[in-house]
Amino acid sequence: MAMTKLVYSFNDGNRDMREVLGGKGANLSDMTNLGLPVPPGFTVSTNACNKYFEDGQKLTEELINSIKVELEKVEKSLGKKLGGSKNPLLVSVRSGAPVSMPGMMDTILNLGLNDETVEAVALETSNRRFAFDCYRRFIQMYGDVVLGVPHYRFERKLESLKQNEGVTEDTKLKAESLKELSEDYKAIIKKETGEDFPQDPKEQLLKAVEAVFASWNNQRAKLYRQINKIPDHYGTAVNVQAMVYGNMGETSGTGVLFTRNPSTGENKLYGEFLVNAQGEDVVAGIRTPKPILELEKIMPEVYKELNDISYKLEKHYRDVQDIEFTIEQGRLFMLQTRNAKRTAAAAVKIAVDMVNDNILTKDEAILRVDASQLDKLLHRQIDDGSHVEHIATGLPASPGAATGALVFSADNAEKLVEKGKKVILIRPETTPDDIHGIVAAEGILTQRGGMTSHAAVVARGMGKPCVCGCEALNIDIMDKNVKIGEETYNEGDIVTIDGATGNVISGTVKLIDPELSDELITFLGWADDVRQLNVRTNADTPEDANKAREYGAEGIGLCRTEHMFMAQDRLPIVQQMILSDSKEKQQAALDKLLPFQKEDFYGIFKAMAGLPVTIRLLDPPLHEFLPNAEELAKEINEMKSEAKPAYKIKEKEQILKRIKSLHESNPMLGHRGCRLAIVHPEIYDMQVHAIFSALEELKKEGIDAIPEIMIPLVGEAKELKIVKDNVLKVANQYSHLDLDYKVGTMIELPRACVTADEIAEHAEFFSFGTNDLTQTTFGYSRDDAEGKFLPAYIDKKILPENPFVSIDEKGVGVLVDLGVAKGRKVKKNLKIGICGEHGGDPQSINFCQKVGLDYVSCSPFRVPIARLAAAQSYISQKK
Amino acid sequence: MAMTKLVYSFNDGNRDMREVLGGKGANLSDMTNLGLPVPPGFTVSTNACNKYFEDGQKLTEELINSIKVELEKVEKSLGKKLGGSKNPLLVSVRSGAPVSMPGMMDTILNLGLNDETVEAVALETSNRRFAFDCYRRFIQMYGDVVLGVPHYRFERKLESLKQNEGVTEDTKLKAESLKELSEDYKAIIKKETGEDFPQDPKEQLLKAVEAVFASWNNQRAKLYRQINKIPDHYGTAVNVQAMVYGNMGETSGTGVLFTRNPSTGENKLYGEFLVNAQGEDVVAGIRTPKPILELEKIMPEVYKELNDISYKLEKHYRDVQDIEFTIEQGRLFMLQTRNAKRTAAAAVKIAVDMVNDNILTKDEAILRVDASQLDKLLHRQIDDGSHVEHIATGLPASPGAATGALVFSADNAEKLVEKGKKVILIRPETTPDDIHGIVAAEGILTQRGGMTSHAAVVARGMGKPCVCGCEALNIDIMDKNVKIGEETYNEGDIVTIDGATGNVISGTVKLIDPELSDELITFLGWADDVRQLNVRTNADTPEDANKAREYGAEGIGLCRTEHMFMAQDRLPIVQQMILSDSKEKQQAALDKLLPFQKEDFYGIFKAMAGLPVTIRLLDPPLHEFLPNAEELAKEINEMKSEAKPAYKIKEKEQILKRIKSLHESNPMLGHRGCRLAIVHPEIYDMQVHAIFSALEELKKEGIDAIPEIMIPLVGEAKELKIVKDNVLKVANQYSHLDLDYKVGTMIELPRACVTADEIAEHAEFFSFGTNDLTQTTFGYSRDDAEGKFLPAYIDKKILPENPFVSIDEKGVGVLVDLGVAKGRKVKKNLKIGICGEHGGDPQSINFCQKVGLDYVSCSPFRVPIARLAAAQSYISQKK
């Protein structure tokens, strides 16, 4: 077997080697090849990481040797030696996975320092303060990351030292104080671990590589992967790179930069830097940095070079770049570049701009926007006209508005959300340890940190509103309150944050429906030009139908008539119908329902004039419309104890008896859908009458209605035949109107898929109800599974994700595919759609494209997502 | 298009034309060809019948002409004419479907008589009494069958005439009285229908043909077809045949005859005859006839001829024949022959005897016994040792014992059975109108009628115990009681009948398990030699296991461990386990259960020593083991109103809370099977410990146990992998014992079928759980469907039968087939079985053979059925 290369010099790799080198490593190689100023180094590959786990978490001799070989190359190119007593080489050790996982794994800087080399660095740089500042930082990082010593142990010591010295900023500490601090830090390590801080730089390096490998499986990294659907088997690479210093004085600095604004998409450099600081200071959000444009004033030449490199990199990668750089004594070094994460709004604007600038083709642009992220653009916003007073303003770090109860810790956020509360997580700053709180919260509010701080980046990634660097906040974590001016707000107080303006508002605020931006309209127009799948909506009211049309829906794929039965003015009549003890009384109730249903259908057909409207006849079991048996029993008991008239009690008792007779042990698999229509045809008869008398009226008014009548829960062709014949019998009473209509069926049972050929004989269209099909294929009751065992299944990776959210291609998908094939075998051009929740899920839409459906149908707010996802599916499948 | 021949002379047909001529018609042709004494005639074909219904129930000119042509041939051959004023031809008109439906459709005798021809017949036969006897019979039959005049109208008149004349038997009525009776009968017809009794014999004939056609769709015929799975589209043929007379005096007679005893199989003529009677008198059971052997004394030559013909026919058809004959003035005529219906015991004995006599091959013999009928041989019998006193004795018409409440009408029988009662239907005699009562009853008891009466034939066909001709009964239908000697028994009184002895016993009687007869053992041995499918049993106790072994089970295919959890001494511990609020308490409860489970498994393994035992780990949701929430709430309410101690109430309230938290809206699709094991692995751990410690003990004792551990409700390979790994973890603690065991899974979800290839990677065997698979494939909850809509589905023929009884090949079967193919693709020799109720259903077993399963598993009492059905499937599929 050929040996797998385990370690690559930055000169050996290229951008196509992300899988092996990780994103960071591949781009470092790439930038090196482009001739950009990248400090030399090498990448320990993901192969090495996976091998490390396979070997029971041990570094092999082979790997150690390869690292040694590459290290020597770096030493040779710089004329420095790791652990050298003169001119010693220091390196950074950073994780870098194939897919970006910002802040999720560990980084160690200044590796190579020990009691001896620190003195050499001091001598070399003629900057003893700098040398010991590096040393104390290194000991802390190493202690934290490699040895597992909690970082607050070190920070407390730093704080007390600053107090002793009477300074507030780290940069004001003198060399000797920092030396003293490094001694204290070593003592902390000895005390916590029982062993001395390792003085051998080679040992430091190997242990650091191991620690980065291990961080691939820390809790927060695992959670991040789960949320972002990143496979566990990728592994992380480790980048070992010669150190450059942003903390060597006022001509040094460090920063992060986006080549365009990642929040709005504006084509302008966007970023922040800190003078005299190391990179972690910016990202961690501990000091609030300056906007990148100010760099032009301070170091104009560096700014120009940075600007040129940014342009070059964006051209090279044909995408917005997220860059990390360090300035060491006036000299610019590039430490990282990667495609920038961005808000949905920015993604759309950037895609449109890049097409207009001929950087991207339309197809490419369409693929650049994450369809599920569009959701964010369709969230409700604070009404501009509501003129609310804000209590504080921070940085507008991630757009959107959110309202919730303040919570001061990630754990509490999670707990309250589990109880059904909506919360805003408020923190001095967030760290990767807060990730579960960010997931749980509606929005994030921080006191410190800039637009590229942890909170901002993560919130943007998740599409959650975020306001950060809100310096007016005075947070007391222990007492769980925050002072803003004179006011104190406690845990549980309701606030609203507006991530588009940075405003923080006390209490709730009126929100309005979003408008689609011009760029989004243009962009979705391109998607429409490309896509093959039609997009319909699930709508039960004219209002929803109108909204969906505005968002581009091309018809209604599912109008649930039971929702009409549930309305307050109809429910008593529906109950009357169900509880009646004679055919006559039942028919009388149905006659009363008829005008209501007619009005419903009239409104919906009108709102969707010119587009098809699929009406599903009554689906749920009748007992869903009846009072709860337990409550009624209680009521009867109370009536008895209050000695209410016997005839009234008897009336209730009869209702209870009927409810009990309708009880089912598994209503999901019970007497519902077309099974109802087989036993009680009169209900569908009424509904079909309502449809056709609405059509009659619309025809008179010259409004073009396109009805498709859908029979639910068919499992056998003969069921459909019988029910369809009944539909036609009613419809034929309106034959003088010469109306055009279709009668079709839902395919939502495994047996319907298996016998779809026979069913197709009687169906003018199919619509897959993949929610019920998922329930029956898996044998899961969604109501029960999601509360009981499904979370454990996702957690243990038994299932890659919730099959009710994204269609299970391996199981349910096979049956859908079979149903399509069998249906089309009988009717070549059978129109086939999907109307479950999956119809609005991009991954599921991709599947629908693959199996050749004609349309998807989803809730109105997901229509734009579906339009984009449909286009993306077509483009990527065309390739 | 070629014209379809509509009418066939008896000279034109043959035995292979059952579909066109019906069974009776084909055999009449066949007997004619064999040169037997068959009165001439012709058959109006089933094609004509189907055309009649297609044409909106009208006889076409073409058909009328064809009938005329064939009628003329008969007239010519006999030198008689229908309606002739001299020597007139009389005919019988009888139904005859392709599949025998005894007594279900209508028959008319003596057709051709009118006021004129009756006199001609009187002259011709010099027997005026005979002529008018025929005439009055004909008017009644024609009135009843063709004109729909209720037969009791005629019978009342007959009764009052007999009273007036002071006679008790019809045969004692004089000619003039009978003439008078025929006048009265015509008057009845005029009164009831408003029209005269038709005097034109051609009109009589055509109307009679129509009436027989129409009787194909009468209620009782439809019900019979449904029960016996006879397709509606078969249609019936009509046989028109020259009349011969058994009622021409003491040298005439009529009878029915089986070539062997249809109850026991004994190789001896068996049947009955009546002197001076027409055929309907025997079948209707109105007069009690004489045993056939007595014919030898009365008419030795006729008896000899009959004996010879019987032998010839049995040889010819290679099966026991059920023959109708008439003796007209000493001359024998054959009116019908058909393969005889028989009891299961007779079927087995006859099959074995015919092999021994080289009439049949073993394969043929195996196919001759209806597998589902074997059930009857395995019903419990009255304990011979119980020495019960009987209150009456009738004819042992259909073997088996039955106990139930007396009911005096078929309607009442049906009603009481719907309410869950077991009933014995007691009637003076039964008619085809009683069929629904016979279906409902446990057994049938009649006062009149012989071994070939309606009650006897139908009961034998259904395998229900029947005692008939029990003359000691004095039944009062109106008052619903029966006097036996001095005692009066009322509706609702419990009796037991023993169809093997004819005894009737008051009250219940101890029943014992049946023994397999020697013939059955031989016969099943032949089946075993042939069959490819193994037969296992579903058994949860050593007793069941032993019983099944006795019946030939080759292992246990399903041992349900939850039944052990339900036992009285374990349930409190199980509840403790479920309700415990800490892992420790839960484990303590499990530790208490362990010895019980170990004991269970020890007993079962021991009973099945040397044969495989498949143990299914816990399957149902936990709430099945808890008290009913509603009842508990009631109890708490009562405790409160009785001011019970607060801590006791609180205790109950906590249990109620836990029960409610375990509540599921669709438990069938809920948290059960391996899903429980994923979330609570400790339960399966305990069960596996119990299995292996039982195995340890058995090994010490040198008993050969062959365990197969089965994981239920797997829908995804990873589920099985996790649970299997846990099983192996426990099993490995017993690795020093070097035990042989398998771990496999149930395939009972559509997704398991679709992904069976992946599942097979982790499974050492598959067992299809087709009950759950039927539920999920159809989306039916069995509990709900069978009570709510399934009866309507069968009734409307949406489904051919209950898919929980016989596997739905078109839907569920396709998934089973897929699962087998996918599983075997990965593991070529994967052992696959079925363990649902379908495993004991012959039709489903045939399917299992077809898809290549290794074994079926069924309840102990169905094991012999499965052995036979497996052999039959193999033989018929081999063809």
Side-chain angles (χ1 to χ4, degrees), chain B residues 131-346:
Chain B
F132 280 96
D133 191 36
C134 289
Y135 196 26
R136 63 99 184 173
R137 284 169 189 268
F138 171 53
I139 299 168
Q140 169 171 354
M141 273 191 192
Y142 190 90
D144 177 11
V145 171
V146 180
L147 304 173
V149 179
H151 56 85
Y152 67 85
R153 295 274 159 135
F154 303 105
E155 278 153 21
R156 277 191 199 156
K157 189 61 81 181
L158 174 64
E159 286 304 314
S160 68
L161 179 67
K162 286 200 284 187
Q163 277 187 348
N164 291 346
E165 308 261 319
V167 302
T168 53
E169 284 182 41
D170 300 2
T171 47
K172 296 287 184 286
L173 288 170
K174 298 267 158 55
E176 282 319 299
S177 305
L178 290 168
K179 184 177 178 193
E180 190 187 310
L181 191 62
S182 67
E183 291 302 325
D184 290 344
Y185 278 10
K186 283 189 285 180
I188 289 171
I189 284 174
K190 174 83 185 177
K191 191 175 164 214
E192 288 285 319
T193 67
E195 293 190 26
D196 286 324
F197 173 75
Q199 292 288 326
D200 174 5
K202 297 246 166 72
E203 182 191 339
Q204 290 172 358
L205 177 60
L206 295 178
K207 287 248 173 83
V209 168
E210 272 201 79
V212 173
F213 282 166
S215 71
W216 176 251
N217 277 334
N218 70 31
Q219 278 313 309
R220 61 177 201 247
K222 278 200 210 167
L223 181 63
Y224 186 92
R225 289 203 293 276
Q226 195 174 306
I227 294 169
N228 293 282
K229 298 178 189 171
I230 300 169
D232 283 342
H233 67 79
Y234 274 13
T236 184
V238 184
N239 299 293
V240 178
Q241 188 174 25
M243 283 295 301
V244 286
Y245 300 96
N247 54 344
M248 287 185 75
E250 294 306 308
T251 59
S252 298
T254 186
V256 294
L257 169 74
F258 293 87
T259 56
R260 302 184 188 213
N261 186 317
S263 188
T264 64
E266 196 187 359
N267 190 358
K268 210 165 117 183
L269 287 195
Y270 176 95
E272 297 157 325
F273 73 101
L274 278 171
V275 169
N276 198 14
Q278 279 201 336
E280 301 308 294
D281 299 332
V282 182
V283 176
I286 295 168
R287 280 165 60 194
T288 302
K290 296 181 181 164
I292 196 72
L293 295 179
E294 288 188 26
L295 185 62
E296 192 169 12
K297 288 178 225 160
I298 302 173
M299 303 183 212
E301 276 177 33
V302 171
Y303 180 79
K304 189 180 176 303
E305 188 182 0
L306 190 58
N307 204 356
D308 291 349
I309 289 176
S310 294
Y311 184 76
K312 196 168 179 179
L313 285 172
E314 200 182 91
K315 271 276 186 197
H316 180 68
Y317 290 107
R318 304 174 70 232
D319 201 356
V320 177
Q321 294 300 297
D322 168 357
I323 291 165
E324 285 180 24
F325 62 91
T326 283
I327 307 161
E328 185 184 288
Q329 297 181 312
R331 195 171 154 204
L332 177 67
F333 289 97
M334 303 304 294
L335 299 183
Q336 171 159 313
T337 190
R338 60 185 173 190
N339 292 341
K341 292 194 183 255
R342 62 207 77 171
T343 63

Side-chain angles (χ1 to χ4, degrees), chain A residues 37 244-254 275-276 295 298-306 325-333:
Chain A
V244 289
Y245 298 97
N247 55 345
M248 286 188 75
E250 295 303 310
T251 59
S252 299
T254 188
V275 167
N276 198 15
L295 185 63
I298 303 171
M299 304 182 209
E301 279 179 31
V302 170
Y303 180 77
K304 189 180 176 306
E305 189 183 356
L306 191 56
F325 63 91
T326 283
I327 307 160
E328 184 183 287
Q329 296 181 315
R331 197 170 155 204
L332 178 66
F333 288 98

Side-chain angles (χ1 to χ4, degrees), chain A residues 512-534:
Chain A
I512 53 162
D513 282 343
E515 299 269 322
L516 304 193
S517 71
D518 289 346
E519 278 98 353
L520 183 54
I521 289 168
T522 304
F523 183 72
L524 289 176
W526 296 342
D528 291 343
D529 293 342
V530 166
R531 70 184 158 88
Q532 303 287 304
L533 276 168
N534 280 330

Side-chain angles (χ1 to χ4, degrees), chain A residues 41 59 96 401 404 414 482 514 580 685 710:
Chain A
L59 301 181
E414 203 175 43
V482 51
S580 56
D685 284 356
M710 183 157 74

